[in-house]
Amino acid sequence: MNDNDTILLDHGAGGKVSHAMFSELILPLFDNGLLAKQDDGAIFEVPAGKLAFSTDSYTVDPIFFPGGDIGELAVNGTVNDVAMCGATPLYISVGLIIEEGMKISDLKRILQSMAGAAKKAGVRIVTGDTKVVPRGKVDKIFINTSGIGLIPAGVNVSGDRARPGDKVIVSGTIADHGVTILSEREGLKFDSDIKSDSAPLNHMVKAVLESGCSVHVLRDPTRGGVGTTLNEIAVQSKVGIQLFEDRLPVRGPVRGICEFLGFDPLYLANEGKLIAIVPGADAKKVLDIIRRDEFGKEAVIVGEVTDQDPGRVVLETLIGGTRIVDMLTGEQLPRIC
């Protein structure tokens, strides 16, 4: 396929043109034995035990941004969702909905990013589908990914397992992705090197779970950010969560942009950070393990779980007061992921 060509409706019609795109562009990048069979689905052996299964769709605008693109985001996002279940991600499916007229070179760039992200995470893309819709019926490309992973014996993490006395760990600076997308979309130019934090977190999770430490909750605070995710956990577990503003890891430029534009970094999306809620006795060890990972070097303990105000998140402010961190209502930034 010529990089200067554009996507035609025929590329999604199931005939010779569709087959050429799969065999010349998609298969060489994602090549593995399961995909190469070109069956209607992937058939594979699964070890005995519990499985985790997750699916997500990606409509981010713009599709290319500092720190990544929609393809990398789609792979990392599903890898992380499976990992937050305590599972080791194994296999991913990919569904592409492409706008007629999209440049082949852009599609190739996205697929290359997906292949690279899958390799870094250690997962295989084993099945998928491609559809092409007329111009104007979709904005360039939307991607769905689904993932399957194996949960090791003895692992039990869930949003309803937070307990009073637990510590709340965030694996690094927050709101980087949200501010990056906002800046790119609006054409805002700032004197900083802000970029998306899109990254696979499954290796970090594996190291924590294999350490012998107890882990009650794992979540990746994507849409709605840390504030919304912690509210969901507080409701699920029927506990209160206390945050400390002076511990929240926000890069200076990100904080400045949020203050300038009136956004709260607690509610902006992250694509390469996790929240771990662990017993107080294990918190220091878990923190050290996360900090040894390439994507966790700026991890901090930002709060604790309490038995007060069940279902609520309370922030202790820099000036010594408190404020309620409510569940996000509406969407601060549409099409952020």
Side-chain angles (χ1 to χ4, degrees):
M1 297 183 69
N2 192 319
D3 284 1
N4 294 322
D5 290 342
T6 58
I7 292 293
L8 308 173
L9 289 175
D10 283 351
H11 283 111
K16 289 184 177 180
V17 178
S18 292
H19 182 75
M21 183 168 73
F22 178 78
S23 60
E24 296 175 19
L25 180 59
I26 296 175
L27 184 58
L29 289 171
F30 296 165
D31 192 23
N32 61 73
L34 295 176
L35 186 64
K37 289 184 176 182
Q38 300 186 43
D39 290 332
D40 282 349
I43 301 172
F44 44 81
E45 298 288 339
V46 178
K50 293 189 295 183
L51 294 176
F53 175 65
S54 184
T55 189
D56 208 343
S57 298
Y58 298 84
T59 65
V60 66
D61 174 35
I63 58 174
F64 301 109
F65 46 84
D69 59 45
I70 190 172
E72 179 182 346
L73 198 67
V75 172
N76 287 341
T78 289
V79 163
N80 292 344
D81 284 345
V82 172
M84 295 310 115
C85 298
T88 299
L90 300 173
Y91 305 113
I92 285 183
S93 71
V94 174
L96 306 174
I97 302 177
I98 309 170
E99 181 184 20
E100 176 191 14
M102 184 180 185
K103 295 178 181 178
I104 295 290
S105 58
D106 284 347
L107 176 61
K108 184 176 181 179
R109 178 179 169 187
I110 289 167
L111 294 174
Q112 288 172 333
S113 291
M114 298 183 82
K119 182 177 181 180
K120 189 172 185 66
V123 299
R124 286 191 283 174
I125 297 171
V126 296
T127 190
D129 183 54
T130 300
K131 294 290 189 297
V132 179
V133 298
R135 296 175 189 270
K137 299 300 183 181
V138 69
D139 189 0
K140 301 180 184 68
I141 185 171
F142 293 167
I143 301 177
N144 172 271
T145 48
S146 297
I148 292 176
L150 182 67
I151 300 177
V155 172
N156 181 19
V157 297
S158 175
D160 64 1
R161 297 196 67 237
R163 298 292 181 265
D166 286 354
K167 301 298 183 182
V168 180
I169 298 172
V170 173
S171 64
T173 56
I174 64 174
D176 294 342
H177 178 76
V179 167
T180 298
I181 298 302
L182 171 66
S183 301
E184 287 296 302
R185 184 183 300 168
E186 302 302 328
L188 302 175
K189 303 299 181 183
F190 297 97
D191 187 18
S192 66
D193 59 350
I194 296 170
K195 64 181 182 178
S196 171
D197 58 347
S198 178
L201 302 175
N202 53 315
H203 303 305
M204 179 192 299
V205 170
K206 182 179 180 181
V208 170
L209 294 177
E210 289 181 346
S211 69
C213 294
S214 180
V215 179
H216 290 163
V217 183
L218 290 170
R219 293 288 293 275
D220 58 335
T222 53
R223 286 173 299 173
V226 169
T228 296
T229 301
L230 289 178
N231 267 279
E232 292 171 349
I233 295 168
V235 170
Q236 286 178 266
S237 295
K238 300 179 176 60
V239 296
I241 295 179
Q242 174 84 52
L243 293 179
F244 302 97
E245 188 175 14
D246 62 344
R247 300 184 192 176
L248 294 178
V250 184
R251 298 186 195 279
V254 169
R255 187 184 300 278
I257 292 171
C258 286
E259 291 175 353
F260 179 72
L261 297 175
F263 287 98
D264 186 337
L266 278 171
Y267 294 114
L268 292 180
N270 310 273
E271 288 294 340
K273 302 298 188 302
L274 64 75
I275 293 171
I277 298 182
V278 304
D282 288 326
K284 178 61 168 62
K285 184 176 179 180
V286 171
L287 183 65
D288 289 342
I289 293 168
I290 291 174
R291 284 177 172 172
R292 287 199 289 271
D293 186 272
E294 63 175 309
F295 302 119
K297 297 185 183 303
E298 297 175 279
V300 290
I301 297 173
V302 297
E304 58 193 22
V305 180
T306 75
D307 57 5
Q308 299 182 22
D309 298 314
R312 280 192 164 182
V313 179
V314 178
L315 177 72
E316 184 177 296
T317 66
L318 292 171
I319 60 174
T322 60
R323 73 173 175 93
I324 302 298
V325 179
D326 287 320
M327 183 84 72
L328 181 65
T329 57
E331 190 168 18
Q332 279 199 331
L333 291 174
R335 295 184 58 191
I336 200 76
C337 306

